[in-house]
């Protein structure tokens, strides 16, 4: 797996896109955006010290529903903010990962919004509906999912808004 697109701002805010083919197995449902999010969050929880989800929920970009997670944690002593977004379009999964210093969190979210607003997927066979029909159920405050119809949350808001 490798990034097909990577960009940085001031060498401290980073954004990359990792496309990957989704497995197609007989009698097994192809993973959707929620599945990609769950798998990625599990890895982040193992690899990032003090990993904490601040906000997560569905996001709609180019008529495709996906999932976004805003989180933070410690990496080699640095407090890092993350904005990760996941989509499954036809037979491809997409991880869009932004990160930077926690103190620059509002700017990271704004810059991520700006990039995500430009995303156009190749002509999918149909709009996805996995994010609308399936959601995580977790009663803890840190894992509450919030719904948005356009992009990840703006600023440091606790609820996603348009």
């Amino acid at each position: 797996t490798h990034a097909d697109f990577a960009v940085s701002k001031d060498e401290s805010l980073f954004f990359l896109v990792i496309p990957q083919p989704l497995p197609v197995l007989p009698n097994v449902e192809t993973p959707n955006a929620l599945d990609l999010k769950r798998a990625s969050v599990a890895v982040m929880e193992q690899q990032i010290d003090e990993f904490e989800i601040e906000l997560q929920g569905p996001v709609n970009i180019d008529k495709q529903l996906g999932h976004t997670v805003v989180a933070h944690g410690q990496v080699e002593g640095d407090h890092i903010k993350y904005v990760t977004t996941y989509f499954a379009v036809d037979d491809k999964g997409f991880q869009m990962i932004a990160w930077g210093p926690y103190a620059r969190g509002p700017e990271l979210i704004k810059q991520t919004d700006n990039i995500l607003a430009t995303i156009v997927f190749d002509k999918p066979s149909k709009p996805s509906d996995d994010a609308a029909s399936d959601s995580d159920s977790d009663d803890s405050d840190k894992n509450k999912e919030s719904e948005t119809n356009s992009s990840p949350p703006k600023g440091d808001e606790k609820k996603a808004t348009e």
Side-chain angles (χ1 to χ4, degrees), residues 50-61:
E50 300 177 35
F51 181 77
E52 184 176 340
I53 294 173
E54 299 172 19
L55 177 67
Q56 59 181 329
V59 61
N60 186 334
I61 296 175

Side-chain angles (χ1 to χ4, degrees), residues 9 13 15 19 24 28 36-37 49 57 62 66 68 77 84 89 95 110 112-113 116 131 139 158 161:
K9 180 177 182 185
L13 300 181
F15 182 89
V24 178
V28 177
L36 296 175
K37 181 203 84 165
D49 294 332
D62 192 33
T68 291
T84 59
V89 181
Q95 296 181 64
K110 180 182 178 194
T112 302
D113 281 347
L116 293 177
D139 294 330
K158 290 295 178 185
T161 59

Side-chain angles (χ1 to χ4, degrees), residues 85-135:
T85 304
Y86 309 91
F87 286 91
V89 181
D90 287 336
D91 60 349
K92 283 200 174 182
F94 297 89
Q95 296 181 64
M96 301 171 193
I97 306 164
W99 72 96
Y102 183 80
R104 293 183 67 189
E107 182 183 0
L108 178 70
I109 290 171
K110 180 182 178 194
Q111 294 299 328
T112 302
D113 281 347
N114 291 341
I115 293 170
L116 293 177
T118 69
I119 299 288
V120 176
F121 294 103
D122 287 340
K123 301 170 190 167
S125 60
K126 63 182 172 92
S128 69
D129 60 5
D130 64 88
S133 64
D134 194 4
S135 65

Side-chain angles (χ1 to χ4, degrees), residues 57-79:
V59 61
N60 186 334
I61 296 175
D62 192 33
K63 299 180 184 170
Q64 298 296 313
L65 287 171
H67 285 272
T68 291
V69 175
V70 177
H72 64 96
Q74 298 282 331
V75 175
E76 298 178 3
D78 293 325
H79 195 184

